[in-house]
Amino acid sequence: AGEEAAGGPEQDGAVAAGGGRLGESAGGDVGSEGRWELQLKGAGPTPFSRAADGRKVLRSSIRELLASEAMHALRLPTTRAAALVSSDARVSRDAGNNGQLREERCAVLARVARSFLRFGSFELCLNETDGREGPSAGMTEEVLAPLFEYALQRHYPHLCSLPSRTQRVAAFVAEVARRTAQLVAGWQTVGFVHGVLNTDNMAVTGDTIDYGPFGFVDQFDPDYSPNDSDAAGRYSYRQQPAVSAWNLRRLATALAPLGSEGGAAEAAAEAEAAFWVEYEPEVRRRWRSKLGLLLTDEGEADDALLESLLGVMQRTGADFTNTFRALSRVGWEASEAASYRAPQDFDAVLEYCLAQCASTEAMLKRARPIFHPKALARLAAIAQTEPERLAQFGLDASVVARETQRAARREALARVTPRDKRLSDAEAWRAWLHAYRLRLWRERRAVAGADDEDAPATAAALEAAAARRRAVMGASNPRFVLRQHIAARVIERAEAGDYVELRRGERPPAKPDDD
């Protein structure tokens, strides 16, 4: 007995079996043909389940279905949900991560992907000198080489013609780094946070895979992590690019025994460098599109404009998605003087931005400390006298410094009245919007130049440039993302046997950037 929700890829062709089972205790590949892999997640024990029962519950299965379809609608590479089948069977799970078990309905999610082969699949053969020993440690030719050749032939066949295996390995890692960098740049600029970004949860195809404690940033906080167990903030929004680069280092290290001109350490460094070389211009391009800066590039000044925007968003608790969406309402001014709005003047964009700012109470709730004040004081003392001891707790000095700063901000925020916050928010946003309007005026000037703006040709060029800006900003700043409260509502109703919301939510807006 159960309910089904279809939603797979539109591409033709059957599905293919294949890739890495490392860490995937509740999945099973079921077919092989064509270019898509089909996996049943939660279908029961597999040879890789260890002591687990291999089952998934309806709650987590719905979250993955909704997330993967939302990411696809945002035009970011992802696994897809083909079907979800619920069951009358029940298992005990700690849904709140608080040690309290409750019975939950089981489900099986049929998901498809170009590949389920992960970075961690290649760590099977790591030996103890390279890190944690894998179950197939040292079996380079027996296990690692065939796995690598399979991945190369299936996903990067254009690299197979390279004359030596050493060259093929280097080219493979560089291509994976390129795709990963593009993916992470997309994550950062839509505010997606994966939550468990380890080597087992990154695909060699550069697709988003394994939706666990994911989340989209709402009230902007660069340290936001949807993973309640991530006290160190390793998988936070801010850290995603660096963690992805580190995972690529691990992939290169795992593949080094197949051939590396400079050894594992040099291969790891090259993999990380390849990531940053692709990531930095790609994420900058995406940010500039979100701001509508398309005609001129003012270099560091434009970068500072973005950083100041993110700073204002953090200080005021502004909603990430809605704030960027609002910026498309800022038009080009005809003169430098017109870019200024006096405090007494009505400014519709300013009012909208202020409406996206969180209340003092909401910001205090979000800023609640991870550690008890006494524990934080003790950790701060250890960080000062014996910083090496912090590793015993899975922490480092940067985590203690971050939480100390967070505690100080929270203490200061607790003394702010709603009226004072409103005035402070208005001042911050008014100053930033003035700087932004001035920047857009310079964009407009790049079109009009010294020409007569009333001339038909100049007027037409200005209108075309303004229309292009609106189109690019609209496509870069989605109106809809998957909010946690929406997913929670769908899950609550489905667990009660009502699947109407699920059927509605499984098909997100085909164009989430449309009004």
Side-chain angles (χ1 to χ4, degrees):
E3 297 285 338
E4 183 175 285
E10 291 83 9
Q11 290 86 347
D12 294 330
V15 294
R21 302 267 30 89
L22 184 64
E24 184 54 61
S25 62
D29 299 318
V30 297
S32 177
E33 185 180 341
R35 59 177 180 166
W36 286 92
E37 297 181 5
L38 172 65
Q39 187 180 80
L40 300 182
K41 188 171 184 178
T46 74
F48 306 92
S49 296
R50 299 185 292 275
D53 58 24
R55 302 306 300 269
K56 289 295 180 183
V57 297
L58 186 61
R59 167 179 48 84
S60 60
S61 300
I62 288 176
R63 279 177 54 82
E64 178 156 350
L65 182 151
L66 295 176
S68 60
E69 294 309 292
M71 291 291 276
H72 176 72
L74 291 170
R75 298 182 293 276
L76 291 173
T78 179
T79 58
R80 302 290 306 280
L84 172 63
V85 181
S86 65
S87 167
D88 290 333
R90 306 271 176 166
V91 291
S92 296
R93 292 291 187 265
D94 180 8
N97 293 318
N98 56 9
Q100 302 296 316
L101 296 178
R102 71 178 179 94
E103 293 289 305
E104 294 193 63
R105 183 186 295 273
C106 291
V108 176
L109 179 69
R111 59 182 186 173
V112 294
R114 291 186 292 177
S115 177
F116 290 101
L117 189 62
R118 306 111 187 287
F119 293 9
S121 303
F122 297 95
E123 293 182 295
L124 289 166
C125 299
L126 278 176
N127 59 51
E128 58 187 4
T129 63
D130 295 318
R132 187 176 63 180
E133 186 174 279
S136 301
M139 300 181 69
T140 301
E141 297 302 326
E142 300 89 339
V143 176
L144 186 60
L147 181 61
F148 168 70
E149 293 299 335
Y150 164 80
L152 199 69
Q153 293 167 17
R154 178 164 174 75
H155 302 298
Y156 300 96
H158 61 288
L159 303 179
C160 292
S161 60
L162 292 173
S164 72
R165 190 166 72 180
T166 296
Q167 290 175 305
R168 293 194 296 274
V169 169
F172 172 80
V173 172
E175 184 67 12
V176 173
R178 184 185 68 81
R179 291 193 187 184
T180 301
Q182 292 179 343
L183 175 68
V184 177
W187 287 353
Q188 296 300 105
T189 49
V190 298
F192 174 78
V193 186
H194 186 281
V196 191
L197 207 55
N198 55 37
T199 56
D200 289 347
N201 291 333
M202 299 198 78
V204 298
T205 50
D207 297 335
T208 312
I209 190 171
D210 289 336
Y211 293 90
F214 70 88
F216 284 87
V217 176
D218 43 30
Q219 179 189 135
F220 182 67
D221 179 0
D223 294 319
Y224 166 69
S225 174
N227 188 340
D228 291 337
S229 63
D230 185 22
R234 176 174 174 79
Y235 303 128
S236 68
Y237 172 82
R238 185 199 304 271
Q239 292 297 327
Q240 283 189 136
V243 169
S244 299
W246 187 89
N247 288 340
L248 282 160
R249 291 181 65 95
R250 300 304 299 159
L251 174 64
T253 299
L255 289 171
L258 295 179
S260 174
E261 294 181 356
E266 184 173 327
E270 290 175 353
E272 181 175 8
F275 172 85
W276 292 115
V277 163
E278 182 73 21
Y279 173 80
E280 289 176 345
E282 176 64 14
V283 77
R284 188 173 187 271
R285 180 191 68 79
R286 287 176 176 266
W287 284 124
R288 289 176 59 80
S289 294
K290 291 177 76 70
L291 291 173
L293 303 180
L294 310 176
L295 302 176
T296 60
D297 190 336
E298 297 186 358
E300 292 182 359
D302 284 351
D303 298 340
L305 182 69
L306 171 64
E307 288 303 313
S308 65
L309 169 61
L310 297 177
V312 171
M313 289 171 64
Q314 182 180 7
R315 290 194 302 275
T316 62
D319 183 90
F320 182 92
T321 300
N322 291 348
T323 299
F324 273 105
R325 185 73 178 175
L327 296 184
S328 61
R329 302 184 180 195
V330 181
W332 282 352
E333 302 295 346
S335 67
E336 183 176 4
S339 301
Y340 176 71
R341 301 288 190 278
Q344 64 271 22
D345 294 339
F346 176 76
D347 184 342
V349 177
L350 172 62
E351 293 300 321
Y352 187 85
C353 288
L354 289 175
Q356 305 311 312
C357 297
S359 66
T360 304
E361 292 77 13
M363 292 188 70
L364 284 170
K365 183 178 179 180
R366 178 59 63 86
R368 63 183 182 273
I370 295 176
F371 306 113
H372 187 277
K374 291 183 179 179
L376 181 57
R378 177 60 178 157
L379 289 170
I382 293 173
Q384 289 290 328
T385 58
E386 302 174 276
E388 66 280 357
R389 284 186 56 200
L390 293 174
Q392 300 174 10
F393 311 106
L395 306 172
D396 59 30
S398 65
V399 176
V400 177
R402 183 197 71 207
E403 290 305 307
T404 300
Q405 293 170 0
R406 181 186 291 269
R409 288 198 303 268
R410 192 174 193 276
E411 183 178 347
L413 187 61
R415 297 192 295 268
V416 176
T417 67
R419 180 179 181 276
D420 287 343
K421 183 179 186 301
R422 169 78 180 191
L423 292 174
S424 175
D425 291 353
E427 182 179 356
W429 276 109
R430 188 177 293 109
W432 188 84
L433 285 170
H434 180 218
Y436 182 51
R437 287 183 169 114
L438 283 174
R439 180 64 184 86
L440 293 181
W441 171 71
R442 293 194 292 275
E443 284 277 290
R444 183 182 190 277
R445 193 172 57 178
V447 178
D451 296 336
D452 179 3
E453 293 192 10
D454 294 329
T458 303
L462 284 169
E463 178 56 34
R468 176 172 176 259
R469 172 178 172 265
R470 289 192 298 269
V472 170
M473 291 188 73
S476 303
N477 295 306
R479 183 183 177 191
F480 302 105
V481 295
L482 179 60
R483 304 281 186 171
Q484 296 284 23
H485 69 89
I486 294 175
R489 184 180 66 198
V490 172
I491 292 167
E492 181 181 5
R493 295 192 178 182
E495 289 182 329
D498 179 1
Y499 294 92
V500 174
E501 289 287 336
L502 176 57
R503 291 195 179 97
R504 183 183 304 163
E506 71 177 355
R507 289 297 187 186
K511 295 182 178 180
D513 44 27
D514 278 358
D515 287 325

